[in-house]
Amino acid sequence: SFRVEPGTGFGLVGANGAGKSTLLLHFVGIHAPLRGEVLVDGEPLARRNLADVRRRLGVLLQDAADQLFMPTVREDVAFAPRNLGVSPQQCDALVQRLLSELGLSELSERATQELSGGEQRLVALAGVLAQQPDALLFDEPSAGLDPRARRRLLGHLASLSQTRVVASHDLDLIWDLCDRVAVMDHGRIAACGPAHEVLSDAALLDSVGLELPLRLQGAPSSP
C-alpha cells in the first residue's frame, strides 16, 4: 500500500513487467483489483463514482498517438472540455491558453498525425490538461523522445501544480519530478520512500533489475 499526497510528485519505477502501467490503469478503473482497493480522496473507486474520478484524473499514455484522434491539434485539445459542457467561448480561451503555454500555437491547425513524436506528446498533454484534472497520471512520458524533446517536456511537467504520478524507466526524470517513489517488483511494492533516498540505493535497484540514475553513475545524465 502507498499514499500519494495532494500536490506532490510520486514515482513508480520497476523493470519491464513489474506492473507499473497496470497499476496506473487501476487508478482510473480500467482494471479492477482482485484484492484490496483504490481510494481517491479517501473514497473507494466504484462504479458509482467512476465517471467523476476519470474526469478528475488525467492520463497521458506511453504512446501519445493512441490518444490523438481528432483531425487537428486545436480540435483534439478542445475535445475534452467540449464534452464536459464547457461553453464555446471558455473552451476556445482554454485551448488557446494551453497551446500558448506549451509552445504549440503555431501547430494549432496541423493534422495530429503529421507531428513529430515530441510534438504529439505535448499535444496529448494539452488534451489531458484541457479536462482540468486534479491529478495527472503519466506512463513513460519520456519514452522515445530525443534529448531536446525530453528536456522540453520535463520543463512543462515540472511546472505543473497538480498531483502527479509518474511511471517510468527514466530514473533521472523521476529524480527531477518526484518527491516520493515506489519500487515495484512483480506486482508488489519492494520499497517506498523519499525519491532521492530510494533512487540512491544501488543494492535495492539492482535487486529489481534497475540501475542508479545516470547522474549518480559518474556519467552525464540526459540533457
Side-chain angles (χ1 to χ4, degrees):
S1 295
F2 62 89
R3 173 184 172 87
V4 180
E5 297 294 336
T8 65
F10 191 95
L12 294 173
V13 303
N16 285 334
K20 304 183 299 298
S21 298
T22 299
L23 184 56
L24 286 184
L25 295 178
H26 275 78
F27 294 162
V28 288
I30 302 299
H31 296 314
L34 299 178
R35 290 179 294 176
E37 59 185 355
V38 176
L39 303 179
V40 179
D41 284 343
E43 293 293 325
L45 181 61
R47 186 179 298 275
R48 60 179 172 76
N49 63 358
L50 186 56
D52 180 61
V53 167
R54 286 178 174 173
R55 187 199 64 77
R56 295 167 55 202
L57 302 184
V59 182
L60 185 65
L61 301 175
Q62 180 173 345
D63 188 347
D66 287 344
Q67 61 190 104
L68 301 177
F69 52 88
M70 297 297 286
T72 68
V73 167
R74 180 180 296 278
E75 290 173 289
D76 211 286
V77 177
F79 181 84
R82 284 178 178 169
N83 283 275
L84 290 171
V86 175
S87 71
Q89 296 81 3
Q90 290 177 316
C91 181
D92 289 344
L94 174 62
V95 170
Q96 185 174 355
R97 176 176 64 80
L98 288 171
L99 292 179
S100 177
E101 290 177 354
L102 294 174
L104 299 169
S105 296
E106 294 183 358
L107 303 178
S108 63
E109 302 306 323
R110 286 274 299 277
T112 54
Q113 69 268 22
E114 296 177 355
L115 304 176
S116 69
E119 290 168 342
Q120 287 185 334
R121 195 71 50 88
L122 288 175
V123 172
L125 175 61
V128 172
L129 294 175
Q131 75 183 63
Q132 303 180 78
D134 300 323
L136 298 157
L137 312 178
F138 300 120
D139 190 7
E140 297 289 356
S142 63
L145 299 183
D146 61 39
R148 178 173 293 181
R150 177 190 179 278
R151 184 168 56 247
R152 183 182 179 188
L153 177 68
L154 178 60
H156 291 303
L157 297 186
S159 70
L160 298 173
S161 60
Q162 292 97 331
T163 305
R164 303 167 309 282
V165 180
V166 187
S168 182
H169 288 109
D170 186 343
L171 299 193
D172 285 276
L173 179 137
I174 296 292
W175 181 285
D176 288 331
L177 291 181
C178 298
D179 306 287
R180 293 179 63 80
V181 63
V183 180
M184 298 191 65
D185 184 36
H186 295 93
R188 296 180 178 273
I189 302 297
C192 185
H196 292 183
E197 179 180 312
V198 172
L199 297 178
S200 300
D201 190 333
L204 168 65
L205 296 178
D206 182 68
S207 72
V208 296
L210 297 175
E211 297 182 349
L212 289 170
L214 289 176
R215 69 189 67 201
L216 301 183
Q217 295 183 29
S221 62
S222 299

